[in-house]
């Protein structure tokens, strides 16, 4: 690791917010689902790529609204409403303060060095990468799980399992598989109902009666009236994904693993670690969502659960089918997908071509809409995020936290809450980075993951990333600028490491000083 001493200036936030993207507007509005007529936005011929740009947001949203594409944005607004509830301390009693409190904690830190970290391997330059294999595993009849793997030749190295966020799949970890696969044995799976783990046949074949139903049969699966036996108990819930991970590790991987999860994948990783700690060597949370599911769990709240007669099973009730048809046309619209990516990537110069095209490809699968409905109406898990965290902590499961600071959905306050519950967990705040730091700044995330795993594998003889041998992880709060080269240009990302000792008292002192303008 090359370390350069210097006196830094604050990292510039003036990033290039260009999106060379031409959105092809469409005035057509269909009541039926059609998975084969979606058209991608035009790609700028000058750069040959889809890039997120600095559009006039009010104008952009107004155009989407006029063209009937605002529902997906309303869904995102719902996440913001939940967030405001969280920041005010009104969500399950879990949050200790507001966003300013998190900022108070993160303002304290020791600074003074720049760290040059490895770049991602460049295939075009002849650099060696880990070959990635695409595989399928039949968990149960008709339950085919897609996964990708790399580094199988590293027989004596630890195994690492990556869990994706909602709406994406194993492809979102391509930069980890190709790079970390050179050192570890790595896998990434698609959750059932997402990615390439969607059903291979219709779980509810449509009846031939009625024009409406017969038309829908040619376009979408899961909208019939009778459920096939293999799908009779199918619900795309967090409990299903927990079981999927368990059997995948037991039957495919065959030994305990390090689990890395982003967003929804972070929740599943922690939930699984709480239930099966003997199969987990450590958990890394990448902007993990701290809640999942809107309907009550029938085991935790049996009386309340009875109020909701349907909870994600097949077949879908008639009213849910109509609602799904309405929402899905908006959610699967290429313009909505582009807008979501624009929100969750803080550095808008990031090339998201592959991510965009793969998400769009998923939405065109005939089972995608019904699977989306099942996921949205599935009950909550048997454990809340906080309960899963406390149980994992009691079972001595090592936890590492890596959070993009500019995430508009899972703000840093969430990561700091986890840090408060598990003080010894290393916490790395990355800036600029949004909801998907592993794809936006993979150089940084891969560097931190390598170091954290080596620290655990050597039982602490190798220091945690950004700490020198003499540093005390209990007391250190450190700022570092991590530098690397991408596409021929040097980039710099600020990473803050928070030690185990930060207190409410120090936070209050920091707030009072800031209130009266004292440094």
């Amino acid at each position: 690791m090359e370390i350069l001493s210097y006196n830094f200036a604050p990292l510039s936030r003036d990033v290039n917010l260009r999106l060379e993207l031409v959105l092809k507007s469409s005035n057509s509005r269909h009541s039926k689902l059609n998975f084969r007529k979606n058209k991608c936005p035009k790609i700028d011929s000058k750069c040959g790529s889809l890039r997120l740009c600095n559009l006039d947001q009010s104008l952009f949203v107004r155009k989407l609204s006029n063209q009937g594409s605002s529902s997906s944005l309303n869904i995102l607004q719902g996440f913001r409403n939940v967030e405001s509830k969280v920041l005010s301390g009104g969500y399950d009693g879990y949050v200790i303060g507001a966003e300013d409190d998190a900022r108070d904690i993160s303002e304290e830190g020791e600074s003074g060095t720049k760290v040059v970290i490895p770049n991602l391997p460049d295939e075009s330059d002849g650099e060696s990468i880990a070959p990635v294999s695409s595989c399928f595993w039949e968990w149960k009849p008709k339950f085919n799980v897609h996964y990708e793997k790399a580094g199988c030749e590293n027989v004596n190295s630890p195994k690492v399992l990556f869990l994706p966020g909602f709406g994406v799949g194993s492809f979102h970890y391509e930069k980890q598989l190709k790079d970390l696969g050179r050192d570890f044995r790595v896998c990434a799976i698609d959750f059932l109902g997402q990615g390439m783990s969607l059903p291979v046949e219709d779980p509810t074949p449509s009846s031939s009666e009625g024009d409406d139903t017969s038309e829908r049969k040619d376009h979408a699966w899961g909208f019939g009236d009778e459920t096939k036996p293999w799908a009779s108990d199918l619900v795309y819930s967090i409990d299903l994904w927990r079981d999927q991970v368990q059997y995948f590790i037991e039957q495919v991987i065959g030994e305990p693993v390090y689990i890395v999860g982003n967003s929804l994948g972070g929740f599943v990783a922690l939930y699984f670690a709480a239930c099966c700690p003997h199969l987990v060597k450590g958990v890394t949370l990448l902007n993990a969502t701290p809640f999942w599911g809107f309907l009550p769990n029938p085991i935790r709240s049996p009386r309340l659960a009875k109020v909701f007669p349907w909870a994600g099973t097949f077949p879908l009730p008639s009213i849910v089918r109509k609602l799904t048809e309405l929402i899905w046309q908006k959610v699967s619209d290429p313009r909505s997908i582009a807008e979501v990516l624009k929100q969750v990537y803080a550095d808008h110069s990031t090339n998201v071509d592959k991510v965009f095209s793969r998400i769009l490809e998923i939405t065109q699968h005939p089972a995608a809409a019904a699977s989306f409905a099942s996921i949205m109406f599935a009950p909550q898990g048997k454990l809340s995020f906080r309960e899963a965290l406390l149980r994992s902590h009691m079972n001595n499961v090592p936890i590492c936290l890596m959070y993009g600071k500019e995430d508009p959905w899972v703000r840093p306050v969430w990561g700091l809450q986890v840090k408060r519950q598990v003080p010894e967990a290393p916490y790395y705040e990355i800036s600029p980075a949004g909801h998907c730091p592993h794809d936006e700044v993979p150089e940084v995330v891969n560097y931190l993951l390598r170091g954290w795993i080596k620290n655990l594998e050597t039982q602490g003889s190798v220091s945690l990333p950004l700490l020198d041998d003499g540093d005390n992880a209990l007391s250190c709060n450190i700022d570092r600028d991590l530098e690397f080269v991408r596409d021929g240009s040097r980039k710099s990302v600020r990473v803050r490491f928070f030690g185990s000792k930060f207190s409410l008292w120090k936070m209050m002192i920091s707030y009072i000083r800031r209130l009266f303008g004292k440094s």
Side-chain angles (χ1 to χ4, degrees):
M1 179 177 71
E2 181 182 356
I3 300 180
L4 307 176
S5 298
Y6 86 120
N7 294 322
F8 63 51
L11 183 63
S12 172
R13 301 295 177 85
D14 185 21
V15 297
N16 180 21
L17 302 180
R18 296 180 301 111
L19 174 56
E20 295 152 9
L21 165 66
V22 180
L23 295 175
K24 183 173 183 180
S25 59
S26 172
N27 294 323
S28 59
R29 302 178 68 176
H30 303 285
S31 59
K32 304 293 189 298
L33 293 174
N34 193 318
F35 296 87
R36 297 176 179 85
K37 294 185 180 179
N38 284 337
K39 296 183 179 179
C40 299
K42 292 181 180 178
I43 306 301
D44 192 315
S45 60
K46 294 181 180 180
C47 66
S49 66
L50 168 71
R51 293 185 181 274
L52 304 174
C53 72
N54 188 18
L55 299 174
D56 184 321
Q57 187 174 6
S58 61
L59 175 63
F60 189 74
V61 172
R62 193 159 58 246
K63 285 183 177 179
L64 288 180
S65 180
N66 292 338
Q67 296 173 3
S69 299
S70 61
S71 295
S72 61
L73 300 180
N74 292 337
I75 293 173
L76 299 179
Q77 185 62 40
F79 282 102
R80 295 193 187 98
N81 293 339
V82 173
E83 175 194 315
S84 64
K85 187 176 179 182
V86 166
L87 296 176
S88 65
Y91 193 89
D92 196 27
Y94 183 45
V95 177
I96 56 172
E99 190 175 22
D100 285 342
D101 298 334
R103 190 179 299 112
D104 291 336
I105 296 175
S106 61
E107 280 177 351
E108 298 181 8
E110 169 194 329
S111 60
T113 60
K114 179 186 299 183
V115 180
V116 178
I117 64 174
N119 313 320
L120 289 182
D122 187 351
E123 299 177 68
S124 62
D125 218 15
E127 296 183 25
S128 173
I129 65 165
V132 179
S133 301
S134 179
C135 311
F136 282 90
W137 162 62
E138 187 179 52
W139 175 21
K140 301 176 183 178
K142 311 298 182 182
F143 282 49
N144 293 325
V145 175
H146 174 259
Y147 68 99
E148 297 183 348
K149 63 180 181 179
C152 296
E153 67 279 4
N154 303 320
V155 293
N156 296 320
S157 298
K159 289 192 173 182
V160 185
L161 175 62
F162 292 92
L163 305 182
F166 176 61
V168 291
S170 54
F171 65 85
H172 213 202
Y173 287 111
E174 179 183 8
K175 297 168 185 175
Q176 280 66 49
L177 296 175
K178 290 183 176 181
D179 183 16
L180 297 177
R182 300 183 298 173
D183 299 321
F184 309 114
R185 292 171 288 171
V186 293
C187 289
I189 68 171
D190 294 357
F191 289 134
L192 286 168
Q194 301 189 64
M196 294 176 64
S197 293
L198 286 161
V200 294
E201 66 178 60
D202 193 344
T204 60
S206 300
S207 163
S208 59
E209 298 180 1
D211 293 338
D212 186 73
T213 304
S214 61
E215 288 179 18
R216 193 185 295 119
K217 178 181 179 181
D218 295 332
H219 302 297
W221 294 352
F223 286 80
D225 300 316
E226 296 182 3
T227 303
K228 288 189 174 181
W230 63 268
S232 59
D233 297 321
L234 177 60
V235 181
Y236 292 121
S237 67
I238 197 165
D239 285 305
L240 175 71
W241 298 325
R242 178 206 58 196
D243 293 344
Q244 175 188 345
V245 172
Q246 176 182 347
Y247 283 98
F248 183 81
I249 293 175
E250 291 177 343
Q251 298 180 15
V252 179
I253 295 180
E255 62 183 79
V257 298
Y258 291 97
I259 302 183
V260 182
N262 170 236
S263 190
L264 166 62
F267 194 146
V268 176
L270 194 65
Y271 190 20
F272 172 73
C275 299
C276 303
H278 61 287
L279 295 176
V280 180
K281 299 181 73 175
V283 172
T284 298
L285 302 181
L286 303 170
N287 290 72
T289 179
F291 45 85
W292 190 259
F294 298 103
L295 301 187
N297 184 280
I299 296 178
R300 291 171 56 93
S301 307
R303 292 184 179 179
L304 186 59
K306 291 180 181 179
V307 176
F308 302 91
W310 183 73
T313 55
F314 293 91
L316 278 60
S318 176
I319 188 173
V320 175
R321 298 178 200 174
K322 295 177 181 179
L323 181 62
T324 301
E325 288 177 349
L326 177 64
I327 295 177
W328 187 249
Q329 283 297 120
K330 318 303 178 185
V331 172
S332 61
D333 190 303
R335 295 165 298 174
S336 299
I337 297 172
E339 174 65 17
V340 170
L341 292 177
K342 180 172 177 286
Q343 290 186 30
V344 299
Y345 283 75
D347 182 357
H348 292 172
S349 67
T350 304
N351 189 321
V352 295
D353 290 7
K354 288 185 178 180
V355 176
F356 175 84
S357 61
R358 293 299 296 272
I359 294 176
L360 188 62
E361 180 183 349
I362 293 170
T363 65
Q364 295 172 339
H365 191 286
S371 299
F372 171 79
S374 177
I375 292 171
M376 290 294 97
F377 285 91
Q380 299 171 355
K382 297 176 184 177
L383 298 177
S384 69
F385 184 89
R386 186 187 186 198
E387 290 168 337
L389 176 64
L390 294 177
R391 185 176 295 187
S392 298
H393 185 41
M394 287 192 328
N395 289 325
N396 297 316
V397 176
I399 296 174
C400 183
L401 310 170
M402 302 180 193
Y403 280 64
K405 184 179 181 182
E406 285 74 29
D407 187 345
W409 296 346
V410 183
R411 297 295 181 94
V413 65
W414 287 111
L416 289 169
Q417 292 310 307
V418 178
K419 174 68 175 175
R420 182 170 178 263
Q421 296 294 321
V422 189
E424 65 273 18
Y427 179 95
Y428 297 94
E429 183 183 83
I430 307 169
S431 179
H435 189 60
C436 311
H438 61 287
D439 190 56
E440 190 170 2
V441 283
E443 299 87 351
V444 174
V445 170
N446 293 359
Y447 168 76
L448 296 176
L449 271 175
R450 272 192 177 95
W452 181 65
I453 292 175
K454 288 179 180 178
N455 173 263
L456 292 179
E457 289 292 307
T458 61
Q459 298 181 348
S461 62
V462 173
S463 297
L464 286 168
L466 305 188
L467 294 184
D468 296 326
D469 292 338
D471 289 335
N472 183 355
L474 292 177
S475 58
C476 282
N477 288 343
I478 297 175
D479 283 4
R480 296 286 186 264
D481 276 10
L482 272 56
E483 285 201 350
F484 53 89
V485 175
R486 183 192 298 171
D487 298 329
S489 300
R490 184 169 294 276
K491 296 182 71 71
S492 179
V493 174
R494 172 69 54 82
V495 177
R496 286 181 170 178
F497 171 86
F498 297 126
S500 301
K501 291 184 178 179
F502 67 89
S503 66
L504 183 61
W505 172 251
K506 287 185 178 180
M507 184 176 66
M508 292 172 60
I509 293 297
S510 177
Y511 174 76
I512 293 173
R513 286 177 175 174
R514 188 159 53 86
L515 186 66
F516 290 97
K518 297 180 180 180
S519 58

